[in-house]
Amino acid sequence: MLNTYFRVIVGSMVLLSVVLTVYVNQNWLWLTVFIGVNLIQSAFTKWCLLETILVKLGVKK
C-alpha cells in the first residue's frame, strides 16, 4: 500500500510542477528537478523522506 501512495504522490507532484512551469513560471521546473534528485538519492541510500512521512501517518508497508 505504501508503494501505491508513494507513486501517486510523486506522479502528481511531477505533473503539477509541469503544469505550473507551463502556465505560471519556468522556475517551477526546479520542483521536478528536486523530485528527480530525491528519487535517485533514495535509490542509493534506501531512505526517502516521503516514505518516512507516510509511515508516520499510518500507511502500512
Side-chain angles (χ1 to χ4, degrees):
M1 195 57 138
L2 180 66
N3 226 0
T4 304
Y5 281 112
F6 180 82
R7 291 173 191 257
V8 168
I9 292 170
V10 171
S12 298
M13 291 300 293
V14 169
L15 290 174
L16 177 66
S17 69
V18 169
V19 168
L20 288 170
T21 299
V22 169
Y23 292 110
V24 178
N25 189 331
Q26 286 187 351
N27 285 326
W28 281 104
L29 196 56
W30 288 106
L31 178 58
T32 308
V33 172
F34 172 75
I35 293 168
V37 169
N38 190 10
L39 287 170
I40 293 169
Q41 168 268 322
S42 69
F44 290 107
T45 63
K46 305 294 188 237
W47 179 82
C48 180
L49 179 61
L50 178 58
E51 185 177 331
T52 304
I53 292 169
L54 289 173
V55 169
K56 287 188 179 196
L57 288 174
V59 176
K60 296 187 190 284
K61 288 188 177 187

